[in-house]
Amino acid sequence: MAKNSSLSQAKKAKKDEFYTQINDIDNELKHYKKHFRGKTILCNCDDPRISNFFRYFAQSFEHLGLKRLITTCYKSQDIDLFSTEGCEKAVYLIYDGDKNKNGVVDLEEIEVKPLKGNGDFRSQECIELLKQADIVVTNPPFSLFREYVAQLIEYNKKFLILARMSSLHYSEIFPLIKSNQIWVGYGFNLSMVYKSIYQNTEEANRKYVRSKGYDPDDNYIKVPAVLWYTNLDHTKRHEKLILYKKYSPDEYPKYDNYDAIDVNQVADIPMDYYGIMGVPDTLLGQFNPDQFELIGIGSGKLGRSIGITKNYRGRTDLSYTIDGVSKCPYSRILIRRKKE
């Protein structure tokens, strides 16, 4: 997250009120249009009063050929936008398209129904809505990300969701990437502008927000290191990474605590080496499962699980020694090239 006092406080308090901008949604979802036709879409972490996911799918309903759009709202603070009820209550919305054919999403075309609980995606009534969906698209709470993905996998749902880059190393997430159950979308290591309930007080953050055409005084905040996860196929994950360098023992040191070589940059992956390599985790943004095999993560619990032993610091991190100096490279994943 950005170095911003409001963001830090939000993280500590496990508050996740960040709202994705529609241009960021469109930049990713335009690559998956073929998957949406005839499908029921669920946005189950979205307040439809301000959710651009709801706006995107409602406005693109006919263009995408959707069957139905369902959006759940967690304890709406302004329920009378959709109903005459004056109390705070969680609701869910159903939109089945432009019934009156006027080319506009009218309020009378949106069916608003109350939820008994607070709209938490883990509640049984929200799970029943999940069962109706073909594809889930949203920005889930980062504090509940592990639970959120586990639920999607449990119910065998297709999805397209936002996350932080750090999630690549979660012990609950990387095995799913390794087993080809989920993968990275088009957007990887992005800096995105979010609408938040928190004040933006960091000047560098405010400058970035202004450069993107938003007003930081209106609680717009830059959030760096963001990616999309999906299990919808897309063309980018089948693009072959062009390799041009040749292996040299002098240029690619071997690790002291694991049988593999270190590759400092993705562009330096040797074209003629078929053993295990430690490469920067940014490779996952270009990872082609037909070209490479994922072996594991080069640190922590996941590192121990594949046999990485403790290094000179007494930690389970990959390390190598050059001219008597030991070094731990930053954030490695272990891969092996597949023979063509």
Side-chain angles (χ1 to χ4, degrees):
M1 302 295 286
K3 291 182 179 179
N4 182 285
S5 59
S6 297
L7 283 177
S8 298
Q9 291 168 9
K11 183 177 179 181
K12 289 178 182 178
K14 297 185 180 296
K15 294 180 180 178
D16 307 295
E17 292 86 345
F18 297 94
Y19 301 103
T20 315
Q21 301 309 297
I22 198 161
N23 59 307
D24 292 318
I25 295 170
D26 182 60
N27 284 340
E28 183 70 21
L29 269 61
K30 65 185 180 183
H31 300 290
Y32 305 86
K33 290 182 178 180
K34 66 179 182 180
H35 294 289
F36 295 134
R37 185 160 299 277
K39 299 298 193 297
T40 293
I41 306 298
L42 173 65
C43 306
N44 61 348
C45 296
D46 297 83
D47 184 338
R49 297 173 297 115
I50 48 181
S51 168
N52 282 315
F53 284 101
F54 177 81
R55 176 184 169 195
Y56 175 87
F57 283 115
Q59 292 180 345
S60 306
F61 194 95
E62 278 71 31
H63 173 68
L64 295 173
L66 300 182
K67 177 182 179 181
R68 170 169 281 190
L69 171 61
I70 305 173
T71 310
T72 57
C73 174
Y74 187 92
K75 281 191 177 179
S76 174
Q77 299 290 329
D78 199 4
I79 188 67
D80 55 352
L81 278 177
F82 297 103
S83 168
T84 58
E85 296 180 22
C87 62
E88 178 181 318
K89 184 179 292 186
V91 298
Y92 69 98
L93 277 61
I94 296 176
Y95 181 64
D96 289 324
D98 185 16
K99 296 178 181 178
N100 59 19
K101 307 299 181 184
N102 68 348
V104 178
V105 181
D106 297 309
L107 286 180
E108 57 267 25
E109 294 173 327
I110 302 172
E111 187 177 1
V112 183
K113 295 187 175 184
L115 289 166
K116 295 178 181 179
N118 60 11
D120 191 307
F121 68 87
R122 296 165 294 184
S123 66
Q124 189 56 47
E125 58 184 343
C126 287
I127 290 174
E128 292 304 316
L129 294 174
L130 176 66
K131 291 177 181 178
Q132 299 177 32
D134 298 301
I135 305 174
V136 180
V137 185
T138 193
N139 179 18
F142 57 70
S143 64
L144 298 173
F145 186 75
R146 295 171 174 86
E147 292 178 69
Y148 187 83
V149 172
Q151 185 185 85
L152 294 176
I153 297 299
E154 178 183 357
Y155 288 94
N156 195 29
K157 292 300 173 181
K158 297 294 184 180
F159 58 86
L160 186 57
I161 57 175
L162 282 159
R164 294 179 297 164
M165 287 285 291
S166 58
S167 64
L168 292 169
H169 294 259
Y170 290 174
S171 60
E172 301 89 348
I173 301 300
F174 185 82
L176 297 175
I177 300 173
K178 181 180 176 181
S179 62
N180 210 33
Q181 292 178 266
I182 70 173
W183 46 85
V184 171
Y186 268 76
F188 183 81
N189 202 12
L190 304 170
S191 287
M192 297 174 65
V193 174
Y194 284 89
K195 177 72 169 179
S196 172
I197 66 171
Y198 304 101
Q199 292 183 345
N200 189 345
T201 58
E202 179 69 29
E203 187 51 44
N205 197 300
R206 291 170 61 84
K207 182 178 179 180
Y208 180 88
V209 168
R210 283 193 291 265
S211 75
K212 296 299 180 180
Y214 298 95
D215 184 357
D217 289 328
D218 197 22
N219 292 40
Y220 284 100
I221 293 177
K222 171 191 174 183
V223 179
V226 176
L227 61 82
W228 291 86
Y229 283 118
T230 188
N231 55 1
L232 299 169
D233 200 23
H234 57 79
T235 57
K236 184 180 177 182
R237 70 187 298 259
H238 298 292
E239 293 174 358
K240 188 175 181 180
L241 185 65
I242 303 301
L243 308 175
Y244 67 96
K245 295 197 70 171
K246 290 191 175 181
Y247 172 70
S248 163
D250 295 332
E251 190 172 355
Y252 298 93
K254 292 198 70 173
Y255 296 119
D256 298 327
N257 53 344
Y258 191 74
D259 187 14
I261 63 170
D262 185 72
V263 180
N264 193 46
Q265 300 181 69
V266 170
D268 293 339
I269 295 174
M271 59 186 295
D272 56 348
Y273 190 84
Y274 290 90
I276 299 177
M277 300 172 275
V279 302
D281 61 11
T282 51
L283 173 67
L284 291 174
Q286 315 171 62
F287 185 78
N288 181 338
D290 301 320
Q291 188 176 15
F292 298 104
E293 175 190 359
L294 271 179
I295 305 298
I297 287 278
S299 61
K301 177 181 177 181
L302 291 173
R304 290 193 297 273
S305 72
I306 60 170
I308 296 176
T309 58
K310 290 183 179 181
N311 62 18
Y312 66 101
R313 294 176 175 173
R315 300 177 57 181
T316 311
D317 293 317
L318 292 168
S319 66
Y320 56 80
T321 303
I322 297 180
D323 297 329
V325 179
S326 297
K327 179 180 179 180
C328 292
Y330 178 73
S331 195
R332 294 296 193 252
I333 59 170
L334 292 155
I335 64 166
R336 180 164 41 208
R337 278 195 63 201
K338 293 183 177 180
K339 293 186 178 181
E340 300 176 2

